[in-house]
Amino acid sequence: MLLEAIYHHPKQNWSYAYDKDTVHIRIRTKRDDVQKISIVAGDKYDWDRTKTYLPLKKWTSDSMFDYFTGEVKPPYHRLRYAFLLESGDESVWMEENDFLEEEPENPDRMFEFPYINAVDVFTPPDWVKDAVFYQIFPERFANGDPSNDPEDVLPWGGKPERDNFFGGDLQGVIDHLDYLTELGVTAVYFTPVFEATTNHKYDTEDYLQIDRHFGDADTLKKLVDLCHDRGIKVLLDAVFNHSGRTFKPFIDLQENGENSKYKDWFHIRKFPIEVEDGIPTYETFSFEPLMPKLNTENPEVKEYLLKVAEYWIKEVGTDGWRLDVANEVDHEFWREFRRTVKKANPEAYILGEVWNESSPWLQGDQFDASMNYPFTNAVNDFFVKDKMDAYQFANSIGRQLSRYPLQATEVAFNLLDSHDTPRLLTLCKGDKRKMKLAALFQFTYIGAPCIYYGDEIGMDGDGDPDCRKCMEWDVEKQDRELFAFYQNLIRLRLSHPSLRTGDIQFLEADMEGTQLAFERKNDNESIIVLMSKSEKQAHFAVPVKADTYVDLLSGMEWPVKDGKLCIDVPAYGYAVLQAVTA
């Protein structure tokens, strides 16, 4: 065994409380190096009577490592443990500071999970595990109230630019709630709805007012109530990293300079407030002069923003916040933000915009989840852009699974495109076969899937602003076959708990391969998903344990021969099969 590759740390994603009674334990080894791992575990104050031996299972892998996992329910919520690693005739014990040839006798030198304190358990809202999100860019979804249109509004469906308006508003969403219900989504994420000057509203002018071109607080309250009546949750966008240039404190700063009482609300590099050679003399989002960065360490700024966070949860009944540019805001602010929001609504979902590995924010003291762009990149690189083979894709997914506590993965926000990226169909160069494979994986993988408005009817669009086209409401111009495909994906996901929270195991993912097979299972069901990116018919012979499987999409039954599920899948085809006999 390569001992240098073995890693465990009794913190974070390696050893954590999954619930008030259960500790999850993980350990990493060199890939294909260790065959079997078990632990000896017990209570440090009553070791002899509580000592028990438990096997771990090989849970996932990446290109270099295997990850083993197991769960323990310590009778007194305290835990000491050591590992036994075996490979062929070789075995070694691992305690906190050393490797041993014999089982350690002294629990004081073992790894320790001191105590499961209920208040410390990372507990995201359960409803997110079952959610199917739909992202709406309000200015481009539907114009329901022409009386609140901007003066320079353009006819619906024109070419989107960074600075033009088409009159989309909250009433437009209300008018099309039947459409969302028909599609089957159970949660909606809105990009910002607060007073601002741009069409995207990320330059907030007033955090306590709904943008006048969208409606007012009563309109939002009506929308939220109607959504709730349909079983649809509502997530708003909080832009707390920066404000807009027309935010009153920043106006005061521009007018009064160093004498402004708000000078410490922002990050000023030097006065006067201006732009020199394209670079503002104050910190901003990117180098955008319209978006001055807020000083969230300032007590007054913190008080104001936390009031905003609480206000819309309490007054309107929204179900959580998506946090813009979340990784550029200090961690302490987000800790206080979480306490404030969870006090207002313990079931509120806190979703941070972080485009990379997000573990510093996913320890239970800040976010419930992050926007899962590493997932986005892996899915698009394999299914859409052909930059990965099946083996590399499975490794990428395995690496991501290993990084976070399970409860964070279960509520991850899994998207394939957004208002910040080219649309999925455009990435696929119009090939709906690729798009369907990507979406199928998205909907059969752990975490909450999100559809960007219009993807389900075949809308295309390159990067911003082209990805922000007006929603197509002419049914004759909608791709209704694609719409039905998304409907079926949603029904499939909502009908089978194993697709939402079950284990995942890759059964086939070959180097230089175009075929992918994986299993999602829980205690009650097993579902096998087969996917092929080949231009030719693909043959699968997947080792399984059940005797018969039924295709959940076609209804066909498939017998198992010699322990293998043998199926031919057409070019760029797929099958979703449920075990029906043991």
Side-chain angles (χ1 to χ4, degrees):
M1 282 180 276
L2 185 66
L3 301 186
E4 298 94 318
I6 299 171
Y7 182 79
H8 174 77
H9 184 63
K11 298 287 184 184
Q12 299 173 326
N13 55 314
W14 301 99
S15 179
Y16 61 91
Y18 180 71
D19 57 37
K20 63 183 180 64
D21 298 310
T22 309
V23 176
H24 283 186
I25 294 174
R26 299 175 183 171
I27 185 171
R28 185 195 78 187
T29 66
K30 181 179 180 294
R31 183 161 183 153
D32 299 328
D33 187 43
V34 177
Q35 297 172 348
K36 181 180 177 182
I37 301 180
S38 56
I39 61 170
V40 57
D43 187 281
K44 63 182 177 182
Y45 298 121
D46 194 10
W47 181 257
D48 290 338
R49 288 192 298 180
T50 60
K51 181 173 69 171
T52 186
Y53 297 88
L54 297 168
L56 304 186
K57 66 177 180 179
K58 187 162 77 169
W59 170 53
T60 193
S61 301
D62 60 29
S63 58
M64 294 189 292
F65 303 110
D66 290 326
Y67 300 87
F68 290 76
T69 188
E71 68 174 36
V72 186
K73 294 183 180 291
Y76 304 107
H77 297 97
R78 299 179 295 259
L79 192 66
R80 286 275 174 86
Y81 57 96
F83 297 93
L84 173 61
L85 302 98
E86 301 176 80
S87 182
D89 296 331
E90 185 181 5
S91 65
V92 63
W93 285 89
M94 179 184 177
E95 58 178 11
E96 186 168 52
N97 295 309
D98 207 354
F99 291 98
L100 307 172
E101 293 183 1
E102 303 293 334
E103 179 179 346
E105 298 180 356
N106 184 356
D108 291 344
R109 296 187 179 184
M110 295 181 182
F111 295 99
E112 180 175 19
F113 191 95
Y115 193 83
I116 304 176
N117 292 289
V119 71
D120 293 331
V121 178
F122 181 13
T123 310
D126 276 341
W127 64 263
V128 183
K129 299 175 186 177
D130 301 321
V132 175
F133 278 90
Y134 190 82
Q135 181 188 349
I136 290 178
F137 191 87
E139 217 284 320
R140 304 291 161 77
F141 190 65
N143 188 344
D145 183 4
S147 70
N148 63 23
D149 286 357
E151 292 182 3
D152 53 353
V153 68
L154 298 174
W156 193 259
K159 179 177 174 57
E161 304 289 354
R162 292 182 181 272
D163 57 357
N164 60 5
F165 295 84
F166 294 95
D169 51 33
L170 297 179
Q171 184 61 49
V173 181
I174 292 173
D175 294 343
H176 290 90
L177 288 178
D178 285 347
Y179 174 85
L180 298 182
T181 299
E182 181 188 7
L183 180 59
V185 299
T186 64
V188 176
Y189 151 48
F190 290 98
T191 54
V193 298
F194 305 117
E195 191 70 53
T197 67
T198 59
N199 55 37
H200 54 70
K201 310 302 178 188
Y202 281 100
D203 60 321
T204 313
E205 180 175 296
D206 190 336
Y207 290 85
L208 293 171
Q209 294 291 327
I210 300 301
D211 189 89
R212 61 189 179 278
H213 300 310
F214 288 171
D216 56 26
D218 290 338
T219 316
L220 179 61
K221 181 69 165 65
K222 178 182 178 181
L223 171 58
V224 171
D225 289 344
L226 289 171
C227 283
H228 287 172
D229 289 344
R230 295 166 180 262
I232 297 174
K233 303 286 188 180
V234 177
L235 195 69
L236 297 186
D237 208 323
V239 190
F240 290 172
N241 173 69
H242 55 271
S243 70
R245 193 176 176 89
T246 56
F247 183 45
K248 287 182 179 178
F250 194 72
I251 290 176
D252 187 279
L253 181 64
Q254 294 173 81
E255 293 175 348
N256 298 304
E258 292 187 76
N259 295 321
S260 171
K261 64 180 181 179
Y262 296 108
K263 69 176 182 178
D264 293 329
W265 278 48
F266 304 90
H267 297 269
I268 310 303
R269 290 190 287 110
K270 68 176 183 176
F271 290 96
I273 300 298
E274 58 186 3
V275 178
E276 297 178 345
D277 297 325
I279 305 296
T281 59
Y282 50 95
E283 299 292 329
T284 64
F285 166 68
S286 183
F287 295 106
E288 176 52 70
L290 286 175
M291 300 179 186
K293 181 174 174 62
L294 290 162
N295 178 12
T296 49
E297 296 179 41
N298 179 288
E300 293 177 347
V301 174
K302 187 179 297 185
E303 180 182 7
Y304 174 81
L305 294 178
L306 294 181
K307 175 185 175 182
V308 171
E310 178 185 61
Y311 178 83
W312 294 105
I313 295 280
K314 284 187 172 182
E315 296 300 318
V316 176
T318 53
D319 300 290
W321 290 102
R322 181 265 191 185
L323 310 173
D324 189 57
V325 200
N327 58 339
E328 294 185 22
V329 177
D330 64 277
H331 290 278
E332 185 55 32
F333 175 83
W334 291 133
R335 293 185 182 101
E336 293 195 35
F337 176 89
R338 183 180 185 86
R339 288 191 288 268
T340 299
V341 169
K342 294 294 185 177
K343 183 178 179 181
N345 178 7
E347 288 300 301
Y349 180 45
I350 300 176
L351 171 66
E353 183 196 19
V354 182
W355 288 58
N356 303 97
E357 198 274 345
S358 307
S359 57
W361 295 271
L362 301 179
Q363 301 303 316
D365 60 341
Q366 296 172 69
F367 310 157
D368 293 314
S370 61
M371 299 186 75
N372 201 355
Y373 279 104
F375 165 87
T376 310
N377 295 336
V379 171
N380 287 340
D381 282 352
F382 175 59
F383 290 105
V384 176
K385 301 178 182 179
D386 298 322
K387 290 184 176 180
M388 285 184 178
D389 58 35
Y391 179 76
Q392 291 168 324
F393 175 70
N395 287 339
S396 180
I397 294 297
R399 185 181 307 111
Q400 292 175 38
L401 287 170
S402 74
R403 287 173 166 173
Y404 308 133
L406 178 60
Q407 55 264 54
T409 300
E410 289 174 335
V411 298
F413 190 87
N414 294 336
L415 68 165
L416 296 181
D417 55 356
S418 74
H419 65 290
D420 287 324
T421 73
R423 282 186 175 271
L424 180 58
L425 187 57
T426 295
L427 290 172
C428 294
K429 297 181 179 179
D431 190 337
K432 288 194 297 181
R433 301 175 305 169
K434 290 185 174 183
M435 183 177 183
K436 288 180 177 181
L437 287 178
L440 176 60
F441 186 83
Q442 179 190 27
F443 275 80
T444 54
Y445 183 64
I446 188 170
C450 180
I451 302 167
Y452 185 41
Y453 79 96
D455 280 358
E456 74 283 359
I457 55 168
M459 285 180 60
D460 60 7
D462 216 328
D464 175 21
D466 198 43
C467 57
R468 303 174 181 185
K469 292 178 179 178
C470 296
M471 177 68 175
E472 179 57 72
W473 291 113
D474 184 345
V475 176
E476 296 299 318
K477 296 180 181 179
Q478 293 180 349
D479 188 329
R480 299 304 293 182
E481 186 275 332
L482 191 59
F483 181 87
F485 173 79
Y486 273 93
Q487 279 184 311
N488 288 333
L489 286 186
I490 294 171
R491 291 193 194 103
L492 181 70
R493 182 176 182 83
L494 297 182
S495 300
H496 295 280
S498 66
L499 294 179
R500 305 193 297 276
T501 58
D503 289 342
I504 182 170
Q505 181 182 6
F506 287 98
L507 305 176
E508 181 177 333
D510 294 337
M511 290 184 182
E512 301 180 3
T514 58
Q515 295 181 201
L516 189 73
F518 59 94
E519 180 183 27
R520 297 298 311 278
K521 67 177 180 178
N522 58 20
D523 292 338
N524 300 312
E525 67 177 355
S526 167
I527 293 177
I528 306 292
V529 182
L530 309 177
M531 312 176 77
S532 170
K533 290 173 55 210
S534 174
E535 291 286 358
K536 300 179 181 179
Q537 178 175 279
H539 178 71
F540 286 86
V542 180
V544 293
K545 295 180 180 179
D547 297 326
T548 307
Y549 285 80
V550 61
D551 191 323
L552 295 173
L553 300 176
S554 70
M556 293 183 61
E557 283 197 3
W558 296 89
V560 173
K561 298 179 181 179
D562 298 324
K564 290 187 176 181
L565 180 62
C566 298
I567 298 180
D568 291 327
V569 171
Y572 278 88
Y574 49 83
V576 182
L577 306 121
Q578 182 179 20
V580 293
T581 58

